[in-house]
């Protein structure tokens, strides 16, 4: 009896974004907004809603919204497709391609095994090895999903070698602890490095529109204290709220050293990749002083890896997901920018600011940050939330009197560490959640606790640090 109605659910879900978009489109235009701004909001809202309810992939939603914006004369084609030439978009895509070299040559796995061999005598030590490994390799990976692909096999091997299996409820907790540490480390390390996730350059570009200029070195300086404090404390917090059962893993360092022995010395490709990445990271750090373009540095790194055949054209051809990222990122970035240019973001900001009228800026700062983090429950993409909300919340904070660097950096960092709030809060979570070591209830509970903890640390520790160095 229930089978027939359930068949209609996918169809209704697919129809819902169009109903929402048409409904907003036909609603009388609020006073203070132009027709183009309101209609573009209808398209943008429908696209984001489609992603939130998992009706369509982000690529599909973005392409439909962008094409309708042009065909309906809501946007000029040059403005709608300007994102394809945006330096931040190109940086993300090129760095995605460069990251394939780390995976392909085995350098990422070697770094992981080396850290485990040094810190893996206990379960807590293994957890710290995960966080340290991720923090070390994060600046070379503009995708926390890609880093998850490096970390996951190591975490799975460590869990299994310690006798932890998903099928045995009594033994799975060690694996569950390490799996969630993997998720949490990706969230925090993404807040530590500008180039650690595709959402960061997007947020930086949006912040720049409000006057906050952030380069690689500035991001690292401001993020270092709250992020490193979080990395120091978070494994112990997870250990306390989700005891792994097994606390000692004396065989792990020896197993890691054995795997390193089997790998042998660094291969030629690993040396090339290591040197190239070191030069790229160094150039990104000193880009402001040396007046280097971040995107040009990434392109130079990709060209070097291709010229030395660490990467081949065949490797590039296989990166269909990178092309998909380029397409949806370019389209949504342009649409979001045009919403701001057409005055919609300012309009929404004024309405939110009026709601915060009379509130002191410290209270407004905490309220806005907390609301921004909690709203991630509605998103399945960090980038989608950054595109939809960061500019609005930053504008409201500025109007409420919050110092620009404080509000800007707080929102930028939150856009990374809130990813563990739900299992679907970031695509990098899926591989760990699908391991079977954690139940859905555990994932949501751990996600809420760790996200609240990160928010508190970045508020208590990060706020005075940002005010001092920001």
């Amino acid at each position: 009896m229930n089978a027939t109605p359930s068949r209609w659910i996918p169809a209704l879900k697919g129809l819902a974004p169009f109903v929402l978009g048409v409904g907003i489109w036909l609603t009388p235009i609020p006073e203070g907004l132009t027709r183009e701004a309101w209609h573009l909001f209808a398209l943008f809202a429908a696209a984001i809603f489609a992603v939130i309810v998992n009706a369509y992939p982000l690529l599909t939603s973005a392409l439909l919204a962008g094409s309708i914006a042009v065909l309906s004369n809501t946007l000029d084609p040059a403005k709608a497709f300007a994102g394809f030439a945006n330096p931040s978009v190109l940086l993300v895509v090129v760095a995605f391609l460069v990251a394939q070299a780390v995976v392909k040559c085995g350098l990422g796995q070697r770094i992981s095994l080396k850290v485990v061999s040094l810190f893996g005598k206990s379960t807590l030590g293994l957890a710290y090895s995960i966080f340290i490994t991720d923090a070390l390799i994060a600046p070379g990976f503009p995708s926390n999903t890609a880093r998850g692909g490096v970390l996951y096999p190591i975490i799975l091997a460590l869990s299994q070698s310690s006798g932890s299996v998903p099928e045995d409820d009594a033994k799975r907790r060690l694996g569950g602890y390490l799996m969630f540490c993997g998720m949490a480390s990706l969230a925090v390390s993404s807040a530590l490095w500008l180039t650690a996730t595709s959402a960061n350059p997007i947020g930086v570009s949006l912040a720049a529109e409000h006057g906050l200029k952030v380069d690689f070195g500035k991001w690292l300086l401001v993020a270092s204290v709250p992020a490193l404090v979080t990395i120091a404390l978070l494994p112990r917090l997870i250990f306390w709220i989700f005891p792994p059962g097994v606390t000692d893993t004396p065989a792990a360092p020896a197993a890691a050293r054995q795997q390193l022995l089997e790998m042998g010395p660094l291969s030629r490709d690993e040396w090339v990749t290591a040197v190239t990445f070191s030069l790229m990271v160094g150039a990104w750090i000193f880009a402001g002083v040396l007046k280097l373009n971040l995107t040009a540095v990434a392109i130079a790194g990709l060209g070097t890896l291709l010229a030395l055949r660490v990467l081949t054209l065949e490797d590039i051809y296989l990166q269909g997901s990178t092309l998909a990222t380029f397409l949806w990122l370019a389209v949504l970035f342009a649409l979001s920018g045009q919403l701001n240019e057409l005055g919609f973001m300012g309009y929404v900001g004024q309405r939110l600011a009026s709601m915060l009228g009379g509130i002191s800026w410290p209270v407004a700062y905490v309220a806005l940050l907390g609301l921004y983090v909690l709203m991630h429950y509605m998103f399945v993409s960090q980038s989608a939330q950054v595109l939809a909300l960061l500019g609005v919340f930053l504008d409201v904070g500025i109007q409420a009197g919050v110092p620009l660097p404080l509000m800007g950096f707080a929102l930028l960092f939150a856009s990374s560490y809130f990813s563990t709030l739900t299992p679907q809060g970031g695509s990098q979570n899926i591989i760990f959640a699908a391991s079977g070591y954690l139940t859905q209830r555990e994932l949501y509970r751990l996600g809420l606790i760790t996200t609240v903890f990160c928010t508190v640390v970045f508020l208590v520790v990060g706020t005075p640090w940002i005010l001092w160095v920001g």
Side-chain angles (χ1 to χ4, degrees):
M1 295 292 291
N2 294 330
T4 300
S6 65
R7 289 162 53 187
W8 288 93
I9 294 178
L12 292 174
K13 186 184 291 186
L15 185 62
F18 292 97
V19 173
L20 175 66
V22 172
I24 297 175
W25 186 289
L26 297 178
T27 300
I29 301 172
E31 185 177 353
L33 285 178
T34 64
R35 178 186 65 85
E36 290 79 11
W38 185 246
H39 288 175
L40 184 58
F41 165 66
L43 295 173
F44 192 79
I48 298 299
F49 178 74
V51 177
I52 292 174
V53 301
N54 201 28
Y56 300 105
L58 196 54
L59 174 61
T60 304
S61 302
L63 292 180
L64 288 173
S67 59
I68 295 173
V70 174
L71 294 174
S72 63
N73 293 321
T74 300
L75 282 183
D76 180 84
K79 294 181 178 179
F81 304 133
F84 289 97
N86 185 279
S88 296
V89 174
L90 293 174
L91 171 62
V92 170
V93 174
V94 173
F96 260 120
L97 297 175
V98 172
Q100 301 307 310
V102 178
V103 177
K104 179 184 177 183
C105 73
L107 182 62
Q109 183 181 20
R110 186 183 294 273
I111 295 173
S112 300
L113 290 172
K114 184 62 177 178
V115 175
V116 170
S117 71
L118 297 173
F119 300 97
K121 289 185 178 180
S122 66
T123 304
L124 190 60
L126 288 177
Y128 275 105
S129 74
I130 293 169
F131 276 81
I132 293 171
T133 298
D134 189 33
L136 288 175
I137 66 176
F141 283 80
S143 167
N144 35 27
T145 304
R147 295 204 311 282
V150 173
L151 293 176
Y152 178 75
I154 304 300
I155 296 174
L156 181 62
L158 290 172
S159 301
Q160 293 176 343
S161 65
S162 301
S164 180
V165 291
E167 296 78 16
D168 190 329
D169 192 62
K171 297 180 179 179
R172 71 174 177 84
R173 292 183 69 88
L174 183 145
Y177 169 71
L178 294 179
M179 288 294 173
F180 193 81
C181 282
M183 291 173 54
S185 71
L186 291 167
V188 181
S189 62
S190 293
L192 178 61
W193 301 96
L194 170 60
T195 55
T197 177
S198 59
N200 290 348
I202 300 171
V204 166
S205 292
L206 293 173
E209 296 177 3
H210 291 79
L212 179 62
K213 306 296 183 182
V214 183
D215 57 22
F216 187 91
K218 184 70 171 182
W219 179 294
L220 179 59
L221 173 65
V222 178
S224 58
V225 170
L228 292 176
V229 169
T230 305
I231 290 173
L233 298 177
L234 197 51
R236 291 185 178 276
L237 173 69
I238 302 172
F239 190 93
W240 178 58
I241 62 178
F242 190 78
V246 179
T247 58
D248 295 316
T249 54
R257 284 191 290 270
Q258 178 60 35
Q259 291 186 58
L260 283 169
L261 187 63
E262 293 173 358
M263 291 182 72
L266 266 71
S267 66
R268 177 259 187 192
D269 285 357
E270 287 179 278
W271 273 113
V272 171
T273 303
V275 172
T276 302
F277 265 120
S278 298
L279 292 174
M280 287 174 61
V281 171
W284 284 335
I285 291 175
F286 298 105
V289 176
L290 300 176
K291 301 187 184 305
L292 299 176
N293 180 271
L294 296 181
T295 306
V297 170
I299 292 175
L302 176 60
T304 301
L305 294 171
L306 285 169
L308 297 177
R309 298 197 60 78
V310 176
L311 285 175
T312 65
L313 291 180
E314 287 72 22
D315 296 324
I316 304 297
Y317 296 154
L318 294 174
Q319 298 306 311
S321 60
T322 302
L323 174 60
T325 300
F326 179 49
L327 292 173
W328 70 252
L329 181 56
V331 173
L332 285 186
F333 191 91
L335 295 185
S336 177
Q338 286 303 305
L339 273 177
N340 188 52
E341 282 194 23
L342 292 172
F344 183 82
M345 297 301 190
Y347 174 84
V348 174
Q350 291 173 3
R351 297 299 179 273
L352 284 174
S354 65
M355 295 172 60
L356 296 173
I359 299 177
S360 63
W361 75 255
V363 175
Y365 162 62
V366 175
L368 285 169
L369 183 62
L371 180 60
Y372 183 77
V373 170
L374 288 176
M375 288 186 72
H376 196 58
Y377 271 114
M378 299 186 297
F379 287 84
V380 297
S381 166
Q382 293 165 247
S383 297
Q385 179 163 344
V386 170
L387 284 163
L389 298 179
L390 189 142
V392 175
F393 275 68
L394 180 55
D395 188 62
V396 173
I398 294 171
Q399 293 186 46
V402 184
L404 172 61
L406 179 60
M407 193 75 255
F409 279 113
L411 293 173
L412 288 170
F413 300 152
S415 300
S416 290
Y417 67 68
F418 66 20
S419 64
T420 56
L421 190 60
T422 67
Q424 68 277 8
S427 57
Q428 70 277 9
N429 296 346
I430 304 303
I431 187 172
F432 297 97
S435 67
Y437 280 98
L438 291 159
T439 66
Q440 288 291 307
R441 182 176 181 179
E442 289 168 345
L443 284 164
Y444 276 96
R445 182 175 72 87
L446 292 171
L448 175 61
I449 294 173
T450 55
T451 301
V452 170
F453 175 77
C454 289
T455 305
V456 171
V457 171
F458 274 80
L459 277 171
V460 174
V461 178
T463 298
W465 177 248
I466 294 172
L467 288 173
W468 187 41
V469 303

